[in-house]
Amino acid sequence: MCGSCGCIPESVEEVHEHSLKGAEQGAVIEISVLENILQSNDRCARANQAVFDSKGILAFNLMSSPGAGKTRLLELTADRLGAANMAVIEGDMETENDAERLRYKGVQACQITTGMACHLSAAMVEHAIGALDLAQPDYLFIENVGNLICPANYALGQHTNVVLLAVTEGDDKPQKYPVIFHAADLVLITKSDLLPVLDDFDVERARANIRQIQPDAEIIVVSARSGEGIPEWLDWVRNHQTERVKDASDD
């Protein structure tokens, strides 16, 4: 997290500039304020998840760098699962482009434009929930802002985390950005149809790098263009909903 990317609110910068003298004091107060921010976010995330649970909705947090294929994946998911069976919260710094693409598919989609913030927060998701009719969908997909760093630090109320890694990004990304891959329940290696024209991405090396960071994450190789891996992705989504319903009935 850093001040230049918008993660630290202006109030932190103001405290740092006007109330403190010396780097050590500044570091202490900054850490304290950030801890309070994250604790407040976690409380809101728990409240969000309680709403999802009360409505029988399974919530996914989709994280990746920009252009890894999150929106295209959701378009295909709508085609296969049924647009009425899912809702989407879209996160971008500006524009409603992605939400409009999903609305064209018939999906309920609420766009959050974050301005300077490079990730969604639980409070943003809380506001978006109020704009959606969650009576019918079984699934809520939260498409986080394209960023391989900050989104992993902020719980949103999701039940599971999905990280997308496009083959165009390089198979060493899990080593370079370990925090987001450590948070993953599932990693989708996307755009596999481009592998024949790429000589610098090795799927097995990518798998090994992911396993080194998060040995429990499932890994599926997918292509929105060829359809590779899409049935496995949909099975993973459905199976998690089945398990959630079973766990709720056991309770």
Side-chain angles (χ1 to χ4, degrees), residues 57-60 74 82-90 102 107-110 132-134 136-143:
I57 290 174
L58 183 65
F60 302 81
L74 292 178
N85 201 32
M86 57 185 277
V88 175
I89 295 173
E90 281 285 348
L102 291 161
V107 176
Q108 267 196 95
C110 179
L132 295 169
D133 180 1
L134 299 181
Q136 183 174 356
D138 289 325
Y139 308 101
L140 173 67
F141 296 94
I142 304 169
E143 183 178 335

Side-chain angles (χ1 to χ4, degrees), residues 6-236:
C7 285
I8 300 177
E10 291 182 1
S11 59
V12 179
E13 299 291 344
E14 290 167 358
V15 169
H16 184 81
E17 180 178 355
H18 298 299
S19 302
L20 300 170
K21 295 180 180 179
E24 291 184 3
Q25 287 178 304
V28 170
I29 192 67
E30 190 168 295
I31 289 170
S32 176
V33 172
L34 288 174
E35 285 178 347
N36 289 338
I37 290 171
L38 291 175
Q39 289 171 3
S40 175
N41 183 83
D42 288 346
R43 286 193 296 271
C44 186
R46 288 191 292 270
N48 289 345
Q49 189 171 104
V51 172
F52 303 147
D53 289 341
S54 70
K55 296 181 179 298
I57 290 174
L58 183 65
F60 302 81
N61 182 18
L62 274 60
M63 299 179 285
S64 77
S65 60
K70 297 187 297 297
T71 307
R72 181 64 180 129
L73 177 71
L74 292 178
E75 289 175 321
L76 285 176
T77 302
D79 290 339
R80 308 294 177 86
L81 288 181
N85 201 32
M86 57 185 277
V88 175
I89 295 173
E90 281 285 348
D92 282 302
M93 287 187 172
E94 296 292 344
T95 84
E96 291 214 3
N97 292 354
D98 290 348
E100 288 173 356
R101 286 172 57 181
L102 291 161
R103 291 173 191 144
Y104 180 78
K105 290 282 186 178
V107 176
Q108 267 196 95
C110 179
Q111 181 74 52
I112 299 173
T113 51
T114 64
M116 281 290 293
C118 55
H119 59 85
L120 294 179
S121 69
M124 294 177 190
V125 170
E126 179 186 27
H127 287 299
I129 291 171
L132 295 169
D133 180 1
L134 299 181
Q136 183 174 356
D138 289 325
Y139 308 101
L140 173 67
F141 296 94
I142 304 169
E143 183 178 335
N144 220 311
V145 178
N147 182 353
L148 283 179
I149 304 173
C150 301
N153 294 316
Y154 288 80
L156 306 177
Q158 76 274 13
H159 297 96
T160 187
N161 290 318
V162 179
V163 174
L164 283 69
L165 169 64
V167 300
T168 51
E169 298 178 72
D171 51 38
D172 61 348
K173 282 298 181 292
Q175 295 174 315
K176 290 183 175 181
Y177 300 91
V179 174
I180 203 161
F181 286 92
H182 187 266
D185 298 297
L186 172 68
V187 177
L188 297 175
I189 298 176
T190 64
K191 304 189 179 183
S192 64
D193 57 285
L194 296 177
L195 285 170
V197 297
L198 297 173
D199 60 4
D200 58 351
F201 190 99
D202 183 279
V203 171
E204 292 311 311
R205 188 162 58 233
R207 287 182 186 273
N209 289 337
I210 294 165
R211 294 279 183 229
Q212 185 178 4
I213 303 301
Q214 176 48 279
D216 296 328
E218 296 188 49
I219 303 170
I220 303 174
V221 179
V222 302
S223 167
R225 185 178 295 274
S226 72
E228 178 185 7
I230 298 301
E232 290 80 2
W233 152 248
L234 296 171
D235 286 343
W236 190 87

